[in-house]
């Protein structure tokens, strides 16, 4: 399987980058081909400008060169994996802007039914500074799973969608002993769900 990892974190020494590396290692060890798109490293512009705004009055859409390039990149893969930290109960602005611009009308969703996006599997790997207990206390985990699996993936008719939360991101022992081995295991078992 060809897997595209879309990464959003400005620091390479972050837990997000470490989780991505372990997950990627698991993917490669189980025979998958992996490409990583680091949104910060490539300087992705997250602002949806007029040229990429959807036109609901016509089926054929015209987008900027950058958006067309990203749509083509996605269509060269079988699965998408988004790796990012949770900011204010959502993805960082650069990742949200990627979805705003690239998961666009006619490509990822269409009221008329047919789209050109080929990916049918998506995985959201999310770090958060909050503990699992705090997330559960505030009913955050069901909210996040609903938002990413139903609101984002579901709207794009991607039925094979999962969310994995890596909580308490500032707990070094938890990261080393739990999160990094879990990320590797997720990569090894990626084709099993």
């Amino acid at each position: 399987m060809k897997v595209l990892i879309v990464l959003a974190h400005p620091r390479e020494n972050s837990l997000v980058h470490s989780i991505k590396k372990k997950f990627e290692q698991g993917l490669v060890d189980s025979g998958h081909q992996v490409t990583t798109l680091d949104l910060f490293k490539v300087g992705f512009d997250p602002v949806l400008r007029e040229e990429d705004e959807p036109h609901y009055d016509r089926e054929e859409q015209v987008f900027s060169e950058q958006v067309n390039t990203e749509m083509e990149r996605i269509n060269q893969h079988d699965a998408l994996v988004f790796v990012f930290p949770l900011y204010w109960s959502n993805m960082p602005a650069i990742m949200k802007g990627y979805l705003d611009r690239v998961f666009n009308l006619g490509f990822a969703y269409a009221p008329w039914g047919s789209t050109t996006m080929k990916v049918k599997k998506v995985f959201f790997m999310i770090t958060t500074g909050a503990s699992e207990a705090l997330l559960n206390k505030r009913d955050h985990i069901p909210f996040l799973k609903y938002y990413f699996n139903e609101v984002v993936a579901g709207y794009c008719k991607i039925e094979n969608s999962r969310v994995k939360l890596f909580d308490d991101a500032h707990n070094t022992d938890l990261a080393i002993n739990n999160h990094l081995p879990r990320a590797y295991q997720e990569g090894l078992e990626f084709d099993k769900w």
Side-chain angles (χ1 to χ4, degrees):
M1 183 181 300
K2 291 182 178 179
V3 180
L4 175 61
I5 299 174
V6 183
L7 177 70
H9 199 287
R11 285 185 295 108
E12 290 191 30
N13 66 345
S14 66
L15 179 60
V16 171
H17 276 262
S18 296
I19 283 172
K20 183 280 250 195
K21 287 176 189 167
K22 285 294 186 183
F23 175 72
E24 183 175 10
Q25 182 183 351
L27 286 173
V28 170
D29 288 351
S30 62
H32 299 290
Q33 296 176 23
V34 184
T35 304
T36 296
L37 171 63
D38 184 329
L39 296 176
F40 281 97
K41 195 175 275 185
V42 300
F44 184 81
D45 179 6
V47 179
L48 176 64
R49 301 183 196 286
E50 185 177 352
E51 65 185 334
D52 291 321
E53 199 171 36
H55 297 279
Y56 290 93
D57 58 340
R58 59 181 182 233
E59 283 193 34
E60 181 136 356
Q61 302 293 306
V62 178
F63 301 112
S64 66
E65 184 178 336
Q66 186 180 37
V67 166
N68 283 322
T69 297
E70 293 309 321
M71 289 174 174
E72 289 171 17
R73 184 192 318 264
I74 289 171
N75 276 342
Q76 293 170 3
H77 296 84
D78 304 304
L80 276 170
V81 178
F82 295 98
V83 187
F84 57 90
L86 196 65
Y87 293 164
W88 289 103
S89 302
N90 211 321
M91 59 188 74
I94 197 167
M95 182 74 79
K96 177 66 168 61
Y98 182 84
L99 289 182
D100 289 346
R101 292 185 67 204
V102 181
F103 273 41
N104 215 318
L105 179 64
F107 177 68
Y109 71 94
W112 49 84
S114 65
T115 61
T116 58
M117 186 165 71
K118 297 175 183 174
V119 167
K120 297 299 176 200
K121 182 173 187 172
V122 66
F123 188 29
F124 299 92
M125 299 179 73
I126 307 166
T127 64
T128 176
S131 68
E132 186 175 353
L134 181 60
L135 293 170
N136 282 326
K137 180 180 177 183
R138 296 185 174 169
D139 289 330
H140 230 66
I141 294 173
F143 163 76
L144 293 169
K145 287 182 176 181
Y146 178 79
Y147 178 75
F148 290 109
N149 289 330
E150 302 300 326
V151 175
V152 176
Y155 192 69
C156 298
K157 296 188 171 125
I158 301 172
E159 295 177 12
N160 200 353
S161 176
R162 274 188 59 226
V163 173
K164 174 63 180 164
L165 288 170
F166 297 90
D167 72 319
D168 207 3
H170 304 291
N171 182 333
T172 305
D173 289 339
L174 184 64
I176 291 170
N177 297 316
N178 181 288
H179 295 342
L180 297 180
R182 184 69 241 164
Y184 176 75
Q185 198 64 35
E186 290 287 353
L188 282 179
E189 299 172 358
F190 189 66
D191 57 357
K192 294 186 174 144
W193 57 271

